[in-house]
Amino acid sequence: MKILISNTSNLAIYEQIVRQIKDAVIAKEVQEGEMLPSIRSLAKDLQISVITTKRAYEELEKEGLIYSVAGKGFYIAKQNTNMLREKKIQILEEELRKLTVEWRQAGLSKEDMTDYIGVLFEDVL
């Protein structure tokens, strides 16, 4: 699992970390019981504050996505991936709703949007 931080993102750095770890769980890039990088190691790799990394891990632990073992580190918890996927879909639906409003304000049709999404979807594959 590779975590990338964007300085141009609207999300705080700790939120970017949380989102990427959640996405990795949904995509099954990480498995139950898999160890995460230590707080200090991740902070060093991303060139960010240890406090920021700690906050991300605390958020993930509070949500039950990871758990800590004293003196050993943080691990991926057993997940209900269907529930995580549903939460992700809700977030995407809201983002798509906002884009649809902007699309309409630009005077573009539903067909234009559908065609454009189809092209983008194929490019990602």
Side-chain angles (χ1 to χ4, degrees):
M1 172 181 64
K2 183 77 172 154
I3 296 176
L4 302 172
I5 300 302
S6 170
N7 293 326
T8 60
S9 173
N10 292 333
L11 293 176
I13 293 173
Y14 86 92
E15 291 174 316
Q16 292 179 51
I17 294 168
V18 168
R19 182 173 281 184
Q20 289 179 52
I21 291 174
K22 283 181 180 180
D23 288 347
V25 169
I26 291 169
K28 298 184 180 178
E29 292 173 15
V30 292
Q31 304 299 319
E32 174 186 346
E34 187 172 328
M35 185 176 187
L36 292 172
S38 71
I39 290 173
R40 290 184 193 281
S41 171
L42 185 59
K44 183 179 177 187
D45 289 347
L46 298 176
Q47 298 180 344
I48 60 173
S49 165
V50 170
I51 294 168
T52 301
T53 308
K54 185 174 187 283
R55 183 171 180 190
Y57 278 20
E58 286 172 346
E59 182 74 23
L60 289 163
E61 192 169 26
K62 184 171 66 173
E63 292 183 28
L65 290 157
I66 66 173
Y67 64 93
S68 62
V69 176
K72 297 207 181 225
F74 290 87
Y75 297 85
I76 301 294
K78 183 175 181 171
Q79 303 299 317
N80 179 346
T81 52
N82 290 334
M83 189 161 83
L84 285 175
R85 181 170 276 115
E86 186 60 34
K87 286 181 183 178
K88 180 70 174 181
I89 289 170
Q90 288 174 340
I91 291 168
L92 292 171
E93 283 176 351
E94 183 56 35
E95 290 177 18
L96 190 55
R97 183 171 281 111
K98 290 175 187 174
L99 287 172
T100 302
V101 168
E102 290 182 35
W103 199 269
R104 281 187 168 178
Q105 289 173 344
L108 298 164
S109 71
K110 176 182 174 183
E111 291 76 21
D112 292 334
M113 186 174 185
T114 304
D115 291 344
Y116 194 73
I117 289 172
V119 169
L120 291 175
F121 193 79
E122 292 301 320
D123 283 348
V124 173
L125 296 176

